[in-house]
Amino acid sequence: MAQTLLIALFLPLAGALLLRGNRDWMRLGSLLVAVVVLIAAIVMAVRYKECPEGGFAYNDFTWAGSLLDVHFHIALDGLSLWLFALTALLMVVAVLVSWEAIAERTSLYYRLLLILETGMLGVFVARDIILFYVFFEFTLVPLFFLIGIWGGPERRRAAAKFFLFTFAGSVLTLLGLLSIVLWNYYEPSVDPALRSLTFSIPDLTEALRNHPMDPTLQIWVFLALFAGFAIKVPLWPLHTWLPLAHVEAPTAGSVILAGVLLKVGAYGFARFNVAMLPQATAALMPWLLWLSLAGIIYGALVALAQTDIKRLVAYSSVSHLGFCMLGLFAVNRLSVQGSVLQMVNHGLSTGGLFAVVGMLYERFHTRQIAELIGLARRLPRLCFFAMVLVLSSIALPGLNGFAGEFPLLLGVFQRAWAEPAPANWLQLRVIAVLSMSGVILGAWYMLWMYQRVFFAKRKGEGKAEGERGVGKAAGRNTIVRDMSVREMLCLSPLLVMIFWIGLQPSFFLDRMAPTLNDLIKPAMEAVERQRMNDGRSRKSEVRNASSGERLRISSFERRTSP
Amino acid sequence: MLDIKTLLILIPALPLVAAVLTAALGAPILRTRSHLPVVAAIALSSVASLLLLARMQEQAGQGRGGQETVSLWRWADVAGDGQNAARQEALSPGHSLSRDFRVDVALEADSLTAAMLAIVTCISTLVAIYSIGYMRGDLGYWRFFSYIGLFVFSMTMLVSATNLVLLYVFWEAVGLCSYLLIGFWYERPAAADAGKKAFLVNRIGDVGLALGIFLIWTTYGTVDFREVFAAAGNSAGDWRTTVICLLLLAGACGKSAQVPLHVWLPDAMEGPTPVSALIHAATMVTAGVYLIARCMPLFATSVTAQCAVATVGGVTALLGGIIAVTQTDLKRILAYSTISHLGYMFLALGTGTLLGVTAGMFHLLTHAFFKALLFLAAGSVMHAMGGVIDIRRLGGLRRRMPVTHWTFLVGCLAIAGVWPLSGFWSKDAIVLAVQQRYGSGAASTLFEALFVTATFGVLLIDFYMFRPYFLVFWGKERIPAVAGGHAQESPRVMTAPLIALALGAAGVGAYFAWTGSFARFLAGSPSLAGLGPAMGELPRSGHESIALLSTAITLVGIVLAAFIYLGGPQRAARLARAMNVIGLYSLSYGKFFFDPLYHALVVWPLLGAARLAAWFDRRVIDGLVDLFGWLPALVGAALRPVQGGLVQFYALAMMLGLLAMLGLLLM
């Protein structure tokens, strides 16, 4: 299985180097590569539980000598598994949406796309900090060119902004990552003779669990990591590169950007900030939650005011990622599992919506909602696909969005309503309740957009009687064709996943649960300790409480104390 | 071979399969036969529900337990911290960081569910048959039936869910179906808007329900109905239970169109009329009533919550009635009438006694019959009149449409509560339950006021129902021009369901009230255990006086309506003027101005905030970012003169620098 992982990771890169020929060969070859990678990902996801440690690992290649212990170490665990699979899936979608849309310099285009795939897959499987960082930066370059060459009219500005913004942040991230490594190296409790400058992520996680960093230092390192990851996510108010990049990017670029690259930031938060810096996570929790909440509401409000459908979807991403971060930073099992599932869900629904926007653009050469009106009759199939994606995006129960959002919010509430209440209980509860407004606003802007684009009636088409009267309607664009087989093939896998996750999330949650529970354990304990301290300082209140209450608290203390 | 478990699966599965089949084959193959799978499936499902009902009764007769559960698959299972402690913890509510979040896709039948299933599927069957005629020739024929199948599926799943999460899933699914069906003629802006409004207003209520579920989870550590109720029994008087109940009530208000979230229901008239009948009578709006009836063990522990439910119900009953009196659109009159009747059901549930709950459910049953009947009859009028439904433009139709006229009359008499039609019995039961409640128990003043409200509401019902009846079917014959040549009785496929519903509306009330079997059967539900004496077990003193009182009021209302609306338009105008002395007419005609109020208070401020946020995003945040982007360039520009390329300048700078360093060293 480890070989499968290795092949899946490097096949796209090999494809990028080896594929040559005209447009037809390039796109066929790329599709083949993407499909093979997807199959590999599916095989690994299905057989994931057979693996005793709960992950596939490949680790027998060392770069440097004894001092710099840099390994080529890749592995799949519960956190990376579904993001890896999502990347593989969305790459197939990306190749298929580019099929007709990209006519110029196709050879370069598909090569960049494939290089990008290796970069993204690498981020999720790298288990060595240097390797992680290489892949992390590696994703920037191909996307920079994809936006800069095949983008819209303002592509240069968008590409530059995207690159500089994310690059500026990631320099600080590197600093943070290196300080973790160095801190571990100079840890006094370790015998100097046995010291090695390890960059291994699992080793560092384990080491920091045994001898955590100094809390103040943790906060600084947290903030350094935060700079890069928060821009990637993007957390409010570092999001402004996103709408521009999305609007200007070619469709495949938007699909990948929203579907995968935003998750790289969230993944980094989970892998490094939460897992390695538990005290800082606990201490900064209210701030992080406020930022996430701001993203949820602000993103939804700005989306409501958009007239460009692509911008609307882009801002909806800000709102959705706000939910993901809310769940992650609430550090408890439900919310974190919901959050990771929601990352995948967002990739499916928003990736699909961007593909739909691309399909509309190919037909009508506009993205203005006001100009795209009443398409349901002319594009019934697209209307159906778009409806499922929209409903998934607004978290309709039975579809995937709900399966992520519900546990996520449940976990956030559990955190906010924990007893004995932490000192900041009021803040947490206000955040938890306010986050629900995102659910309403999300339905509002999405349905508003959907209604305008698909349901409203074009002037001069049909009669007031609705369907009964329509027949000889004629508009300027009546010959527009509905979805082709290729386009349906492109969106169908997304729909299958949307229904599958929605109907049986346990299949997905079960596979990620062990890793995630282990990953957030230190942070959860840190939060719990803080809470119990708060609880103890308010003993007098407890004494006044009813006897039942006292009983429960004492039983809780018994259970949580070692 | 058809045991309860199989039936329980079949009832929702049949409509689902039919809906998917119709969606897949409707356009290319079935076309004008698209109704076949769905109508057949819903009909079979109603047979299955009746069978289920019989089986349940059989079981109850043998004294066996009242619940049967069938688990399909595990939806989610997220381990808590202390996995072994989870079950014990569920019985003693406490802090929450140790529980498993386990949700099964499982169905459960008890008598409450069985009764709901029977009502939903039977009414839906008749509505679906009626739709064959009503929707004939529509381009979206297959789409319509596919949605109907999905709607019935969602509703049957909703009432048989075993846990709150599954209930929530179908709670929203029902909302989605209503969105699709209300906006069925999506090219009409009003229809698309109404669909969206229904979805959004419902979503506000849904958020209340979701919050309630979250709080239930954090309080009891489980979302399973049975476990929650067991835990709730141990935590009586906890403030959290009250808050939970209020949140559930918010959810129920959204779905059951109670004040202040009732605004979507009248707009829902934009959908095809059978949809209105389905939404108002059998599916959708009854979900809220069901939720509260199901969660009675929670409501039973909190008097505050009971008062809230009853007050919401009472206010809605009154408001809906007052608004209905002045509307001119027949379907809207019926819509406000539904709102007001749902208010009655809430009022009954708010008493928190078994008597009240059974009365509420009984009213749900009878209301399903007569409201479906009235809507379908209205649809029949609309069908014949070319889509016109304004009662001012219609008149004297009783000769042209005899079946519609007679069935509509039966519906009016039933809804007005004329003895011995069904409305009489159920409304009587509600009024009686409220009367009993203020006689004994807490908050008696409130319930006394609600009793007066409910009694007065009866007068309104008679008046607002007989007003359109007299205007449309009596007087001079008025037929709008658009009706053209087809101003005649509707086809048999439409009148047959009308007759069936009329028989039901006339008979069910008397049958169940006399035999008392409905109340007895419902009382077997574990959800309703321990709520006090059932209907039959009460002394019947006081019952007759209430029956006499309400009959007298009913007669007054009908005679009043006849006097005013059979006598010519000037009498109505005079009444309107008299009422407007205190502004009541304007208030009623303007529907108490809820819509403009919400627009001013919610919609516009939010849209304004959205504009503001968009502006802020573009100018302020992005502006700051660009400023940062310019910073290196600015610094560069400031330093550029230094690199002049003059060697003498560099030499001078070097010397000055050396001197400065030396100076520093010396000091």
Side-chain angles (χ1 to χ4, degrees):
Chain A
M1 261 343 203
Q3 275 70 24
T4 316
L5 181 61
L6 197 64
I7 292 168
L9 176 59
F10 284 113
L11 188 66
L13 191 62
L17 297 176
L18 298 178
L19 280 179
R20 56 193 66 236
N22 60 7
R23 181 181 174 206
D24 286 336
W25 284 111
M26 283 309 290
R27 59 189 187 188
L28 258 178
S30 312
L31 182 64
L32 193 69
V33 169
V35 167
V36 170
V37 174
L38 176 62
I39 292 171
I42 291 171
V43 169
M44 285 190 284
V46 170
R47 295 182 58 185
Y48 180 75
K49 278 194 165 173
E50 297 169 16
C51 185
E53 295 125 52
F56 305 114
Y58 185 86
N59 184 18
D60 55 3
F61 182 74
T62 313
W63 276 345
S66 59
L67 178 65
L68 268 180
D69 205 8
V70 179
H71 282 270
F72 181 81
H73 181 186
I74 56 173
L76 265 188
D77 64 0
L79 174 58
S80 12
L81 178 67
W82 296 117
L83 292 171
F84 187 89
L86 175 73
T87 310
L89 178 63
L90 286 181
M91 194 46 79
V92 177
V93 175
V95 172
L96 282 173
V97 294
S98 313
W99 208 256
E100 303 288 341
I102 302 298
E104 287 165 17
R105 306 169 80 173
T106 41
S107 171
L108 183 61
Y109 177 86
Y110 285 105
R111 281 177 196 185
L112 285 173
L113 215 52
L114 290 174
I115 292 174
L116 184 60
E117 178 168 23
T118 292
M120 293 185 301
L121 294 174
V123 169
F124 294 130
V125 295
R127 286 297 173 276
D128 183 280
I129 282 189
I130 298 298
L131 195 64
F132 170 82
Y133 194 74
V134 167
F135 280 124
F136 187 69
E137 294 295 310
F138 197 54
T139 56
L140 277 184
V141 183
L143 199 64
F144 171 75
F145 286 116
L146 284 175
I147 297 176
I149 298 177
W150 290 273
E154 279 196 85
R155 55 181 177 267
R156 279 162 204 281
R157 196 163 80 86
K161 194 167 190 171
F162 160 73
F163 190 84
L164 290 177
F165 215 137
T166 47
F167 188 70
S170 58
V171 171
L172 282 172
T173 302
L174 180 64
L175 203 68
L177 291 174
L178 290 182
S179 53
I180 291 177
V181 172
L182 288 176
W183 196 89
N184 178 57
Y185 183 66
Y186 291 113
E187 164 62 35
S189 65
V190 181
D191 180 8
L194 295 174
R195 259 183 200 162
S196 74
L197 197 54
T198 179
F199 288 88
S200 159
I201 294 173
D203 290 356
L204 284 171
T205 313
E206 188 58 35
L208 286 179
R209 201 170 283 191
N210 295 334
H211 43 83
M213 257 187 201
D214 170 54
T216 330
L217 184 63
Q218 275 197 27
I219 291 193
W220 286 108
V221 175
F222 191 103
L223 292 178
L225 294 175
F226 182 88
F229 295 146
I231 287 172
K232 276 262 174 181
V233 167
L235 266 177
W236 187 85
L238 303 171
H239 62 274
T240 51
W241 63 269
L242 177 84
L244 187 65
H246 267 312
V247 169
E248 298 304 324
T251 303
S254 297
V255 170
I256 302 260
L257 191 59
V260 182
L261 281 174
L262 304 188
K263 277 66 183 195
V264 171
Y267 173 84
F269 271 124
R271 180 71 74 197
F272 297 103
N273 293 43
V274 175
M276 294 187 183
L277 307 167
Q279 270 100 344
T281 308
L284 294 173
M285 189 167 82
W287 297 99
L288 298 168
L289 293 180
W290 277 116
L291 279 184
S292 312
L293 178 71
I296 292 173
I297 296 179
Y298 182 89
L301 280 177
V302 178
L304 199 53
Q306 296 307 314
T307 54
D308 180 318
I309 184 169
K310 215 169 174 184
R311 284 186 84 89
L312 186 143
V313 180
Y315 276 106
S316 85
S317 290
V318 176
S319 184
H320 283 283
L321 265 295
F323 273 113
C324 290
M325 299 322 291
L326 190 77
L328 183 62
F329 291 137
V331 280
N332 78 53
R333 290 184 171 182
L334 270 171
S335 74
V336 171
Q337 290 184 30
S339 163
V340 176
L341 191 60
Q342 194 63 3
M343 290 177 203
V344 178
N345 293 338
H346 174 260
L348 294 171
S349 62
T350 307
L353 281 172
F354 274 122
V356 166
V357 174
M359 289 171 192
L360 290 175
Y361 188 79
E362 279 174 40
R363 288 171 172 75
F364 302 100
H365 304 288
T366 179
R367 288 189 304 259
Q368 292 299 313
I369 295 172
E371 293 170 18
L372 292 165
I373 272 190
L375 303 179
R377 175 172 319 291
R378 287 191 286 168
L379 306 171
R381 273 178 264 167
L382 188 59
C383 171
F384 168 74
F385 278 88
M387 164 144 276
V388 176
L389 291 166
V390 161
L391 292 175
S392 152
S393 172
I394 65 176
L396 188 88
L399 303 182
N400 62 344
F402 175 77
E405 205 170 275
F406 198 86
L408 191 161
L409 288 169
L410 203 57
V412 173
F413 270 74
Q414 185 165 304
R415 169 63 66 220
W417 262 266
E419 284 177 18
N424 51 14
W425 63 274
L426 188 62
Q427 272 190 61
L428 295 184
R429 289 180 192 183
V430 168
I431 291 171
V433 172
L434 283 182
S435 68
M436 294 299 287
S437 64
V439 176
I440 300 173
L441 290 174
W444 190 359
Y445 63 73
M446 273 294 169
L447 289 182
W448 175 78
M449 180 274 282
Y450 189 80
Q451 183 193 340
R452 295 292 303 278
V453 171
F454 288 100
F455 282 173
K457 194 177 52 161
R458 289 178 89 86
K459 282 194 187 104
E461 201 178 65
K463 282 181 276 175
E465 274 303 288
E467 291 198 340
R468 293 168 181 217
V470 180
K472 49 183 184 292
R476 199 157 37 83
N477 302 322
T478 355
I479 337 148
V480 170
R481 63 191 164 73
D482 201 358
M483 288 173 91
S484 64
V485 176
R486 179 209 21 121
E487 284 170 325
M488 286 202 284
L489 271 180
C490 167
L491 290 184
S492 302
L494 297 179
L495 254 61
V496 170
M497 291 313 293
I498 282 173
F499 278 106
W500 189 5
I501 298 180
L503 293 176
Q504 201 197 7
S506 56
F507 180 83
F508 300 85
L509 291 173
D510 286 352
R511 280 170 171 69
M512 62 170 87
T515 312
L516 291 182
N517 292 347
D518 185 52
L519 218 57
I520 62 167
K521 206 171 152 211
M524 252 176 88
E525 280 165 1
V527 176
E528 288 301 290
R529 258 199 306 283
Q530 201 177 348
R531 198 164 63 82
M532 295 317 293
N533 287 341
D534 293 342
R536 240 169 252 130
S537 65
R538 286 180 299 132
K539 267 257 160 76
S540 55
E541 287 172 43
V542 175
R543 208 163 295 134
N544 295 340
S546 70
S547 61
E549 197 109 5
R550 203 158 42 221
L551 198 77
R552 270 181 264 136
I553 288 164
S554 62
S555 77
F556 183 80
E557 282 174 346
R558 247 199 330 279
R559 227 185 23 257
T560 48
S561 60
Chain B
M1 91 243 172
L2 281 175
D3 59 345
I4 292 183
K5 291 183 177 178
T6 324
L7 288 171
L8 203 50
I9 297 174
L10 274 180
I11 294 168
L14 287 168
L16 175 67
V17 170
V20 173
L21 209 67
T22 313
L25 305 178
I29 298 170
L30 290 167
R31 293 163 196 279
T32 53
R33 296 185 301 275
S34 296
H35 56 267
L36 287 176
V38 171
V39 172
I42 300 179
L44 279 176
S45 183
S46 68
V47 172
S49 317
L50 292 174
L51 259 175
L52 177 74
L53 211 58
R55 292 276 151 81
M56 293 293 290
Q57 194 129 32
E58 221 170 83
Q59 269 204 357
Q62 292 164 356
R64 277 189 281 144
Q67 273 171 313
E68 284 275 357
T69 312
V70 45
S71 274
L72 298 177
W73 71 86
R74 178 142 294 173
W75 191 76
D77 186 3
V78 178
D81 287 4
Q83 289 170 13
N84 299 329
R87 292 293 146 246
Q88 296 99 304
E89 285 281 53
L91 292 172
S92 62
H95 42 75
S96 40
L97 284 168
S98 57
R99 313 279 169 61
D100 291 0
F101 174 65
R102 185 169 300 143
V103 178
D104 286 332
V105 178
L107 307 177
E108 188 166 73
D110 67 350
S111 42
L112 184 58
T113 295
M116 283 299 292
L117 282 175
I119 298 171
V120 169
T121 52
C122 289
I123 301 288
S124 302
T125 307
L126 294 171
V127 173
I129 292 172
Y130 174 93
S131 313
I132 299 172
Y134 191 85
M135 299 303 289
R136 174 146 290 160
D138 196 292
L139 274 180
Y141 196 62
W142 64 272
R143 203 158 49 88
F144 180 85
F145 281 98
S146 183
Y147 292 166
I148 292 275
L150 207 60
F151 207 169
V152 175
F153 160 71
S154 305
M155 192 64 197
T156 48
M157 285 296 282
L158 190 154
V159 296
S160 37
T162 58
N163 59 63
L164 281 151
V165 176
L166 196 62
L167 178 123
Y168 185 81
V169 168
F170 290 99
W171 188 265
E172 283 235 321
V174 168
L176 169 72
C177 294
S178 72
Y179 167 74
L180 293 172
L181 280 167
I182 294 168
F184 181 75
W185 287 315
Y186 53 79
E187 291 190 328
R188 292 182 193 173
D193 278 338
K196 191 180 60 168
K197 184 174 176 184
F199 194 88
L200 288 179
V201 174
N202 266 299
R203 198 131 229 229
I204 294 172
D206 293 352
V207 165
L209 176 60
L211 286 172
I213 297 175
F214 292 158
L215 201 58
I216 285 178
W217 162 254
T218 55
T219 309
Y220 303 119
T222 173
V223 287
D224 191 276
F225 279 126
R226 245 189 276 189
E227 293 171 10
V228 170
F229 298 155
N234 300 338
S235 65
D238 191 350
W239 62 271
R240 281 189 207 83
T241 317
T242 306
V243 177
I244 287 170
C245 289
L246 294 179
L247 288 168
L248 294 180
L249 174 63
C253 279
K255 199 82 12 181
S256 287
Q258 297 293 290
V259 174
L261 295 178
H262 65 284
V263 287
W264 65 271
L265 192 64
D267 286 17
M269 295 304 110
E270 294 297 335
T273 306
V275 173
S276 310
L278 203 57
I279 288 179
H280 285 252
T283 57
M284 191 87 181
V285 295
T286 56
V289 179
Y290 169 77
L291 176 72
I292 293 185
R294 172 58 74 202
C295 293
M296 225 47 213
L298 286 174
F299 284 89
T301 61
S302 164
V303 175
T304 319
Q306 289 169 15
C307 291
V309 175
T311 312
V312 164
V315 169
T316 308
L318 195 62
L319 220 62
I322 293 176
I323 296 175
V325 167
T326 57
Q327 298 305 307
T328 54
D329 178 324
L330 179 54
K331 280 174 77 178
R332 266 174 214 270
I333 294 173
L334 291 174
Y336 280 105
S337 146
T338 303
I339 291 175
S340 130
H341 277 268
L342 288 165
Y344 271 98
M345 293 175 214
F346 271 57
L347 177 57
L349 295 174
T351 59
T353 57
L354 184 60
L355 191 63
V357 179
T358 46
M361 293 304 295
F362 188 31
H363 197 55
L364 192 154
L365 167 72
T366 57
H367 176 257
F369 277 98
F370 53 66
K371 192 49 65 65
L373 169 62
L374 287 168
F375 262 113
L376 294 186
S380 171
V381 170
M382 202 172 162
H383 194 68
M385 295 297 135
V388 171
I389 199 68
D390 188 334
I391 53 173
R392 292 168 302 187
R393 293 173 62 192
L394 303 170
L397 295 182
R398 68 181 189 282
R399 274 178 301 275
R400 270 181 192 269
M401 309 183 70
V403 181
T404 306
H405 164 242
W406 282 109
T407 49
F408 194 88
L409 177 62
V410 171
C412 283
L413 290 171
I415 202 173
V418 174
W419 187 89
L421 278 73
S422 58
F424 170 81
W425 306 98
S426 56
K427 212 177 315 160
D428 221 34
I430 291 177
V431 176
L432 182 70
V434 178
Q435 192 212 28
Q436 292 285 333
R437 180 65 169 72
Y438 83 71
S440 61
S444 56
T445 332
L446 174 71
F447 280 96
E448 192 158 6
L450 288 172
F451 172 74
V452 176
T453 311
T455 324
F456 176 66
V458 174
L459 180 69
L460 286 175
I461 295 173
D462 309 324
F463 190 78
Y464 69 64
M465 275 324 301
F466 277 90
R467 169 174 167 260
Y469 169 73
F470 287 129
L471 282 178
V472 171
F473 291 102
W474 292 77
K476 200 160 64 66
E477 188 170 278
R478 271 174 300 177
I479 293 169
V482 275
H486 51 82
Q488 58 204 355
E489 188 55 272
S490 301
R492 203 162 297 160
V493 71
M494 287 167 71
T495 51
L498 284 180
I499 294 168
L501 282 169
L503 290 176
V508 282
Y511 173 74
F512 286 120
W514 265 325
T515 59
S517 58
F518 184 76
R520 250 200 325 279
F521 179 64
L522 266 192
S525 167
S527 278
L528 306 182
L531 289 178
M535 209 183 300
E537 299 163 18
L538 280 173
R540 294 192 64 83
S541 66
H543 195 168
E544 287 81 3
S545 63
I546 286 181
L548 278 177
L549 179 69
S550 72
T551 304
I553 292 175
T554 304
L555 289 178
V556 169
I558 296 173
V559 169
L560 207 62
F563 173 73
I564 292 172
Y565 292 102
L566 286 180
Q570 66 276 20
R571 283 183 186 163
R574 218 175 295 146
L575 181 73
R577 265 200 306 282
M579 280 298 165
N580 221 12
V581 172
I582 51 167
L584 198 58
Y585 180 80
S586 304
L587 268 182
S588 162
Y589 193 70
K591 304 156 197 165
F592 284 79
F593 305 106
F594 272 102
D595 280 319
L597 203 68
Y598 285 169
H599 263 274
L601 291 182
V602 183
V603 178
W604 290 117
L606 268 175
L607 287 178
R611 294 264 160 75
L612 191 72
W615 175 86
F616 182 79
D617 198 61
R618 208 173 263 265
R619 298 279 166 243
V620 180
I621 297 189
D622 207 29
L624 277 176
V625 169
D626 286 341
L627 200 69
F628 267 103
W630 281 108
L631 219 57
L634 282 177
V635 173
L639 292 179
R640 198 166 301 137
V642 179
Q643 305 281 333
L646 258 166
V647 182
Q648 293 92 324
F649 177 73
Y650 292 161
L652 179 70
M654 218 160 87
M655 288 311 290
L656 284 175
L658 271 174
L659 279 178
M661 271 175 160
L662 267 174
L664 272 175
L665 277 175
L666 289 175
M667 275 160 67

